[in-house]
């Protein structure tokens, strides 16, 4: 009894070639699967119709039932996109969908819960938000109530009477903060801008460092070394302070008070007479800048900035805070290997200009007419 076309189509190419070899089909190794099915069908015993029209293998395969596919499990994924929006996508298996519809599910929805600082699936009270979604959708954008919090999404169906059918729950994800972080993670070599008492050294115990004691005057010596040639070009606040230190009496004689404002700026003269109502108020402002020089070299090397040796941390890094006043600053940095045979160097050039300075510290603020 000859095999049916459907049974032949289910065979593999190797099985068809073996059958064609047994039936004496010529050149069977060069034939395609459809050609082998046609040749075997014409060679099978009991076939009285050698002129059977050519078989269409695609039509035969179309009549076969679809191959079984493994069912995908129901899942939902929560991905924060930015501090205000999150992207959610999901997949629902056919058994779960049919089971939910069977027990009265009507509306597919997402539930967003704030779980910051909680465990074991707990949520903060009054933070649960339910968002209805389209029944055929597989993705959605959710607005995030508050940034810098932990959230979890639950996928499920609502019932007409108010019940809830849960299908899947996402992992907890952190929504980033809307504003820049206030944490400062930089750790500096423990130099301070405040000079220690003579004969002592200053350290910052809160910052770990392999250096037992730091030279608190190193930053100032580095600055002086970087600017000693360029002081004649000083401008802005540096030049003003130099003039203030050397010619304070001359400035006082031309009507300037410590804040840099003359008596005539208030509309009054030295006798106290004027055409405006007398009002006084103390006001002040301070502003400055610092320069951070940092880098790394071999931990066993010596590091020099100018003629000053700068201590290295255990991994060979260094970071130095120095003043950044008006004028030109040059910092020649040189690393010397432990055996003195290798050297590397770089020179950094910085320049600051303060075109206007009308500032004074709070302890020098005086009552001014205005």
């Amino acid at each position: 009894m000859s095999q049916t076309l459907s049974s032949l189509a289910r065979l593999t190419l190797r099985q068809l070639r073996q059958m064609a070899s047994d039936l004496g089909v010529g050149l069977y190794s060069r034939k395609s699967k459809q050609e082998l099915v046609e040749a075997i069908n014409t060679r099978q015993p009991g076939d009285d119709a050698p002129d059977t029209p050519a078989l269409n293998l695609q039509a035969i395969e179309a009549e076969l039932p679809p191959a079984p596919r493994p069912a995908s499990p129901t899942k939902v994924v929560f991905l924060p996109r930015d501090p205000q929006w999150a992207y959610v996508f999901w997949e629902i298996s056919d058994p779960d969908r049919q089971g939910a519809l069977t027990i009265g599910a009507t509306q597919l929805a997402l539930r967003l819960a704030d779980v910051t600082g909680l465990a074991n699936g707990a949520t903060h009270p009054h933070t649960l938000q339910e968002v209805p979604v389209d029944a055929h959708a597989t993705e959605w954008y959710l607005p995030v109530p508050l940034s810098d919090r932990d959230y979890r999404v639950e996928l499920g169906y609502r019932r007409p009477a108010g019940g809830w059918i849960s299908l899947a729950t996402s992992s907890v994800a952190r929504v980033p903060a809307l504003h820049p972080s206030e944490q400062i993670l930089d750790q500096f070599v423990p130099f301070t801008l405040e000079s220690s008492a003579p004969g002592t050294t200053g350290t910052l115990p809160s910052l770990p460092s392999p250096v037992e004691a730091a030279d608190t005057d190193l930053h100032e010596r580095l600055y002086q070394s970087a600017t000693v040639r360029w002081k004649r070009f000083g401008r802005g606040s540096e030049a003003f302070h130099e003039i203030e230190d050397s010619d304070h009496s001359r400035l006082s004689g031309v009507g300037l008070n410590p804040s840099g404002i003359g008596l005539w700026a208030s509309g009054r003269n030295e006798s106290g007479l004027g055409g405006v109502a007398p009002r006084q108020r103390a006001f002040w402002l301070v502003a400055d800048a610092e320069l951070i020089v940092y880098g790394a070299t071999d931990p066993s090397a010596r590091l020099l900035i100018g003629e000053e040796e700068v201590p290295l941390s255990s991994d060979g890094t260094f970071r130095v805070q120095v003043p950044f006043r008006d004028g030109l600053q040059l910092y020649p940095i040189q690393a010397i290997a432990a055996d003195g045979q290798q050297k590397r160097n770089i020179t950094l050039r910085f320049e600051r200009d303060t075109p206007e300075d009308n500032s004074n510290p709070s302890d020098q603020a005086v009552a001014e007419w205005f």
Side-chain angles (χ1 to χ4, degrees):
M1 181 177 181
S2 61
Q3 290 181 283
T4 63
L5 297 181
S6 297
S7 61
L8 288 176
R10 291 192 181 96
L11 299 178
T12 65
L13 182 61
R14 185 174 181 178
Q15 292 172 330
L16 290 174
R17 286 176 176 175
Q18 181 63 42
M19 184 177 294
S21 176
D22 296 339
L23 294 175
V25 177
L27 300 177
Y28 62 87
S29 62
R30 300 182 182 180
K31 296 182 182 298
S32 65
K33 186 175 181 180
Q34 182 171 346
E35 291 172 342
L36 287 172
V37 170
E38 295 173 358
I40 292 172
N41 186 60
T42 58
R43 291 294 185 96
Q44 289 188 90
D47 191 351
D48 299 330
D51 297 330
T52 302
L55 302 177
N56 189 338
L57 186 58
Q58 294 181 351
I60 295 174
E61 293 180 346
E63 297 176 357
L64 299 176
R69 299 178 60 184
S72 300
T74 301
K75 60 182 179 180
V76 58
V77 179
F78 174 69
L79 296 175
R81 192 194 70 169
D82 55 42
Q84 297 176 316
W85 290 91
Y87 173 65
V88 182
F89 66 93
W90 62 88
E91 185 174 358
I92 305 176
S93 66
D94 291 336
D96 288 345
R97 188 187 299 273
Q98 293 300 326
L101 295 176
T102 301
I103 59 178
T106 57
Q107 175 64 61
L108 185 64
L110 299 171
R111 285 186 171 183
L112 180 67
D114 187 339
V115 296
T116 306
L118 302 178
N120 301 324
T123 62
H124 288 284
H126 312 299
T127 63
L128 188 66
Q129 293 191 7
E130 185 175 296
V131 179
V133 297
D134 187 80
H136 302 288
T138 58
E139 59 183 357
W140 210 265
Y141 281 99
L142 290 179
V144 178
L146 292 174
S147 62
D148 198 21
R149 306 284 292 180
D150 294 329
Y151 290 95
R152 182 182 63 237
V153 167
E154 184 178 5
L155 174 68
Y157 281 99
R158 286 193 305 185
R159 290 180 174 180
W164 174 256
I165 305 173
S166 179
L167 298 179
T169 303
S170 72
S171 300
V172 176
R174 183 78 174 185
V175 174
L178 183 61
H179 304 288
S181 174
E182 297 180 356
Q183 295 183 358
I184 299 176
L185 303 181
D186 288 337
Q187 295 185 355
F188 300 96
V189 175
F191 299 124
T192 175
L193 295 178
E194 299 296 332
S195 299
S196 302
T200 64
T201 56
T203 59
L204 296 177
S206 60
L207 298 180
S209 174
V211 183
E212 294 295 335
D215 185 351
T216 56
D217 294 329
L218 176 59
H219 69 281
E220 187 64 32
R221 294 202 305 272
L222 289 174
Y223 171 76
Q224 295 298 335
S225 174
T227 58
V228 65
R229 304 179 186 178
W230 314 99
K231 281 192 174 181
R232 64 179 180 272
F233 299 113
R235 299 186 299 275
S237 63
E238 185 177 18
F240 176 80
H241 290 309
E242 290 178 358
I243 295 174
E244 184 181 26
D245 293 339
S246 60
D247 299 326
H248 179 73
S249 60
R250 181 176 60 84
L251 291 175
S252 300
V254 295
L256 288 177
N257 57 34
S259 67
I261 300 296
L263 289 175
W264 53 83
S266 65
R268 299 175 62 85
N269 54 32
E270 295 184 4
S271 64
L273 298 178
V276 296
R279 289 189 296 169
Q280 287 184 321
R281 183 173 62 194
F283 199 54
W284 59 280
L285 167 69
V286 291
D288 210 336
E290 294 177 356
L291 185 65
I292 299 176
V293 180
Y294 65 94
T297 184
D298 189 283
S300 62
R302 292 177 60 233
L303 185 79
L304 300 175
I305 300 183
E307 299 179 356
E308 298 289 339
E309 184 169 353
V310 176
L312 299 173
S313 60
S314 59
D315 59 353
T317 58
F318 64 93
R319 188 183 292 253
V320 181
Q321 274 180 276
V322 293
F324 191 25
R325 306 186 182 109
D326 278 13
L328 183 64
Q329 303 179 32
L330 293 178
Y331 289 95
I333 304 173
Q334 184 180 40
I336 306 174
D339 57 5
Q341 299 299 316
Q342 293 176 291
K343 297 181 180 180
R344 294 291 186 273
N345 66 285
I346 181 174
T347 300
L348 304 180
R349 180 182 185 272
F350 305 96
E351 185 174 5
R352 171 181 161 180
D353 181 20
T354 305
E356 183 179 4
D357 187 350
N358 181 24
S359 63
N360 59 291
S362 59
D363 58 356
Q364 296 181 12
V366 295
E368 299 175 357
W369 294 100
F370 67 98

